[in-house]
Amino acid sequence: MWCRATIGLAPRVLKRGSMKVLVTGGAGFIGSHIVERLVREGHQVVAYDNLASGKRENLAHVGEIKGAGELELVVADVRDAPQLDYYASGCDVIFHEAAVVSVPYSVEHPQETHDVNIQGTLNVLHSAKRRSVKRVVFACSAAVYGEDPEMPKRETMRAAPMSPYGIEKITGEYYMSVWTQLYGVETVSLRYFNVFGERQDPASPYSGVISIFVDRVLKGSGVTIFGDGLQYRDFVYVGNVVDANIRAATTPGIGGRAYNVGCGQKTTLLDLLSTIERIAGSKVERTMAPPRAGDIRESIADIGRISDELGYRPTVGVEEGLRRLIEYVKGSR
Ligand code: UD1
């Protein structure tokens, strides 16, 4: 896969194991999976993370990978432009995963999420230009689509964010494409749908719903369902998202493009909970609560563009991803 994926970059980064890569948010949930993959492939990786939600433990196992590349963890913030600029120097690619990722948190703390999610992204782009980084892959979100009832969501649809988080993500994406047009920095935005998998932290009320439901079902404690539970999402296992990132970093001729990253499969919250209960072999009590402010009700991706242009396939489906996650959580208790 790596060989196929690397064909697009300039000759000096064609060789396996020759890239220098910066992953912002590299100790976080998705970032740590990208870091792991890159290190396995023998690359030189800097994981840049302020550890606000990322954790050193997320990268602990990476050092033990045999015959791997190098990893350095830098504890710093994307709002710290000089630091970021220093570590961007000499990089071939930046994966920009650092963000405050919660919709309700952004509703409650819009100034803080603006600073991290917009100013932080601008800092990344500024350094990418200054340091002649070849490509920036940006973690965008399905939250940019908002409440337009047309489904599935296609990249050509008008953005209509419903939360500060959605505004911040579409702003970041606009910055990405403009940096390609104005300054020739090759950027690619990936509109993640609902990503789940190992190392997603269930500890906070702002955590992703799958991490919370799996945690509660395995503990035998109750869950809260905001709304009627019939809202649906396109849940996508993190391994597929890593694959999309590698393809986005290495496919030629896609500067300035944006792609949905999902499975193209809809799952309601009630179905999700039943599936988790079935796989885990236990049931939990449900408390119904009003819908959360800023939540979109329905979301499902059309993955035609990313399939056609990047050769992406969601090879691990939702149920298989849930099985892997549940095994992992059981094993780490
Ligand atoms: C999630 C991601 C966001 C990403 C977006 C893309 C997180 C924390 N958020 O937002 O970064 O950009 O997908 O679509 O990973 N819910 C409950 N009970 C709970 C928790 C949540 O009913 O205990 C409900 C929510 O009200 C919502 C749904 O589950 O309707 C999904 O919530 P959540 O996992 O927070 O994801 P999104 O808000 O879709």
Side-chain angles (χ1 to χ4, degrees):
M1 176 357 309
W2 188 259
C3 292
R4 184 200 175 285
T6 50
I7 49 176
L9 286 184
R12 84 182 178 87
V13 295
L14 272 175
K15 229 176 78 215
R16 178 188 155 91
S18 63
M19 283 207 289
K20 188 171 174 220
V21 185
L22 181 68
V23 183
T24 71
F29 162 47
I30 301 173
S32 69
H33 283 272
I34 295 173
V35 166
E36 179 179 342
R37 172 74 166 268
L38 292 166
V39 172
R40 275 189 196 286
E41 296 294 339
H43 298 290
Q44 239 186 298
V45 182
V46 174
Y48 186 103
D49 200 304
N50 68 356
L51 302 183
S53 57
K55 297 192 186 80
R56 286 178 196 277
E57 305 90 88
N58 285 346
L59 296 172
H61 65 293
V62 177
E64 289 152 25
I65 300 168
K66 289 205 177 72
E70 291 168 32
L71 171 63
E72 181 185 2
L73 171 62
V74 172
V75 181
D77 200 295
V78 286
R79 288 167 290 187
D80 183 346
Q83 279 273 45
L84 189 61
D85 196 52
Y86 176 81
Y87 286 100
S89 174
C91 282
D92 300 296
V93 179
I94 299 176
F95 293 91
H96 179 36
E97 307 300 307
V100 181
V101 300
S102 165
V103 171
Y105 190 89
S106 80
V107 173
E108 288 155 31
H109 307 276
Q111 184 66 60
E112 180 189 342
T113 58
H114 174 102
D115 290 345
V116 177
N117 293 346
I118 297 185
Q119 186 59 52
T121 298
L122 190 54
N123 291 344
V124 166
L125 282 170
H126 184 65
S127 291
K129 172 176 174 269
R130 203 172 123 84
R131 301 295 184 178
S132 304
V133 175
K134 294 186 191 64
R135 191 165 288 195
V136 179
V137 181
F138 171 56
C140 191
S141 169
V144 304
Y145 290 113
E147 208 58 308
D148 183 337
E150 198 180 329
M151 296 286 167
K153 301 299 188 193
R154 279 174 285 105
E155 294 87 343
T156 47
M157 288 169 150
R158 197 177 67 88
M162 292 173 58
S163 61
Y165 176 76
I167 294 172
E168 291 150 14
K169 286 293 171 181
I170 194 65
T171 304
E173 188 180 302
Y174 288 149
Y175 269 123
M176 290 286 149
S177 67
V178 167
W179 249 242
T180 298
Q181 288 162 35
L182 286 181
Y183 308 118
V185 178
E186 287 194 2
T187 64
V188 183
S189 294
L190 296 178
R191 295 180 177 178
Y192 298 163
F193 282 63
N194 286 62
V195 187
F196 73 98
E198 298 87 343
R199 302 200 286 273
Q200 191 174 27
D201 187 0
S204 134
Y206 300 114
S207 301
V209 67
I210 288 188
S211 68
I212 295 175
F213 281 8
V214 166
D215 178 68
R216 303 300 186 272
V217 168
L218 292 180
K219 279 185 182 150
S221 53
V223 300
T224 302
I225 293 178
F226 299 111
D228 59 8
L230 295 175
Q231 70 265 47
Y232 64 77
R233 292 289 187 277
D234 185 340
F235 294 104
V236 54
Y237 180 67
V238 67
N240 301 325
V241 175
V242 173
D243 184 51
N245 271 276
I246 300 300
R247 288 169 188 272
T250 54
T251 302
I254 56 167
R257 300 284 280 165
Y259 298 94
N260 289 340
V261 184
C263 274
Q265 179 189 330
K266 68 176 165 188
T267 307
T268 67
L269 276 202
L270 294 178
D271 285 345
L272 172 71
L273 184 56
S274 305
T275 307
I276 293 170
E277 289 177 328
R278 175 165 51 76
I279 297 170
S282 59
K283 285 190 176 287
V284 287
E285 201 172 303
R286 300 150 190 222
T287 304
M288 305 307 280
R292 291 188 319 199
D295 262 6
I296 50 173
R297 182 160 170 83
E298 294 167 344
S299 174
I300 183 166
D302 181 324
I303 55 171
R305 180 186 283 187
I306 191 168
S307 307
D308 293 349
E309 297 183 17
L310 272 60
Y312 162 85
R313 303 279 180 275
T315 49
V316 179
V318 177
E319 177 140 355
E320 171 58 20
L322 287 173
R323 283 182 194 284
R324 290 186 190 189
L325 173 62
I326 288 167
E327 276 312 300
Y328 168 84
V329 176
K330 277 183 176 168
S332 47
R333 291 211 158 146

